[in-house]
């Protein structure tokens, strides 16, 4: 009984945090996606590219594919956990603590999920991956799985090239205006990796 009360209390606290820290953003994209942003709390934030490199298990240039598996674990009417398992094709390896090579397909759990037809629950500052777009990824390996996570959510993924569509630009431009430390980090990454 005590354990059930504790679990219920934790679930309610998580739900309260989600509801009070998320907000609605409508993107003017071709698909008219509606974004609900959740604020993530990091153990640490990163100031420059050297810190990202030091803490990454895998650093790659990789192209987004169309293979995505949307995951949402609901607690009644509310999402409790969410992610999208996205596949990326590795084009170049900069750092590797496993046996990943060029042309390998890797799985990355990205912090967003489609919760209804055109509604997206997404971590604040994170940009959904698009098919055919190249990214520089700073990743940590997920424990006991052959999957990776971007370091500190949006600190671990940078768009290097476009696929012709720019669905999320207005949302990300506003985020960058409000987060000058992230812009400093992004510029540090772009300078080091020449994009």
């Amino acid at each position: 009984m005590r354990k059930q009360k504790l679990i219920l209390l934790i679930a309610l606290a998580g739900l309260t945090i989600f509801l009070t820290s998320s907000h609605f953003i409508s993107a003017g994209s071709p698909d008219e996606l509606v974004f609900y942003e959740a604020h993530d709390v990091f153990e640490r934030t990163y100031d420059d590219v050297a810190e990202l490199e030091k803490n990454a298990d895998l650093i790659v240039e990789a192209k987004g594919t169309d293979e995505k598996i949307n995951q949402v674990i609901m607690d009644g009417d509310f999402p409790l956990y969410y992610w999208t398992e996205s596949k990326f094709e590795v084009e170049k390896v900069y750092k590797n603590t496993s046996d990943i090579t060029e042309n390998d397909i890797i799985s990355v759990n990205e912090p967003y999920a489609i919760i209804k037809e055109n509604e997206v629950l997404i971590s604040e500052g994170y940009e959904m991956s698009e098919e055919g777009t190249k990214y520089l990824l700073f990743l940590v390996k997920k424990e006991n799985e052959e999957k990776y996570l971007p370091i500190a959510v949006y600190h671990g993924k940078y768009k290097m090239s476009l696929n012709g569509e720019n669905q999320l630009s207005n949302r990300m431009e506003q985020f960058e205006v409000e987060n000058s430390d992230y812009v400093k980090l992004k510029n540090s990454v772009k300078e080091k990796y020449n994009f």
Side-chain angles (χ1 to χ4, degrees):
M1 183 71 166
R2 206 172 204 192
K3 188 175 181 179
Q4 290 175 331
K5 284 183 180 180
L6 180 61
I7 291 171
L8 180 60
L9 182 62
I10 291 170
L12 288 173
L15 180 60
T16 301
I17 290 168
F18 168 74
L19 290 174
T20 59
S21 66
S22 63
H23 59 279
F24 168 85
I25 294 179
S26 179
S29 71
D31 299 325
E32 293 301 320
L33 296 175
V34 176
F35 294 90
Y36 297 94
E37 290 194 344
H39 179 72
D40 287 308
V41 179
F42 309 124
E43 287 182 25
R44 72 179 286 189
T45 56
Y46 292 84
D47 296 315
D48 69 24
V49 66
E51 292 179 276
L52 285 174
E53 292 170 331
K54 180 181 176 186
N55 291 295
D57 294 323
L58 181 65
I59 303 172
V60 294
E61 284 180 24
K63 192 173 283 188
T65 72
D66 64 348
E67 293 182 62
K68 295 181 183 299
I69 301 170
N70 193 61
Q71 303 286 340
V72 180
I73 298 171
M74 300 295 286
D75 182 16
D77 292 334
F78 300 99
L80 188 58
Y81 300 106
Y82 63 93
W83 71 94
T84 295
E85 182 181 326
S86 300
K87 304 288 186 182
F88 291 85
E89 182 178 356
V90 175
E91 293 187 346
K92 186 171 185 178
V93 178
Y94 292 101
K95 180 180 178 183
N96 193 354
T97 59
S98 61
D99 58 354
I100 302 295
T101 62
E102 291 177 8
N103 300 318
D104 281 352
I105 302 294
I106 59 172
S107 294
V108 178
N109 283 1
E110 297 190 89
Y112 76 88
I114 297 171
I115 54 175
K116 289 187 181 173
E117 187 174 312
N118 67 335
E119 294 181 359
V120 179
L121 180 57
I122 191 164
S123 290
E124 179 183 36
Y126 197 80
E127 187 172 4
M128 293 170 56
S129 298
E130 297 179 76
E131 179 183 358
T133 300
K134 188 180 351 180
Y135 299 92
L136 179 64
L137 303 172
F138 295 83
L139 304 169
V140 291
K141 192 167 185 306
K142 197 163 188 294
E143 194 173 328
N144 301 321
E145 293 186 50
E146 291 302 314
K147 297 176 186 170
Y148 293 88
L149 303 167
I151 289 180
V153 186
Y154 59 81
H155 293 86
K157 185 175 112 191
Y158 300 88
K159 187 181 283 189
M160 298 181 81
S161 69
L162 300 175
N163 67 353
E165 298 175 28
N166 197 6
Q167 292 185 349
L168 309 172
S169 62
N170 62 347
R171 182 178 157 267
M172 296 311 294
E173 285 171 11
Q174 184 61 37
F175 176 78
E176 290 189 10
V177 165
E178 297 170 357
N179 294 277
S180 60
D181 288 345
Y182 169 70
V183 174
K184 180 181 173 188
L185 174 63
K186 181 179 175 181
N187 290 338
S188 165
V189 170
K190 289 175 84 169
E191 183 179 333
K192 170 80 183 272
Y193 290 89
N194 299 312
F195 67 94

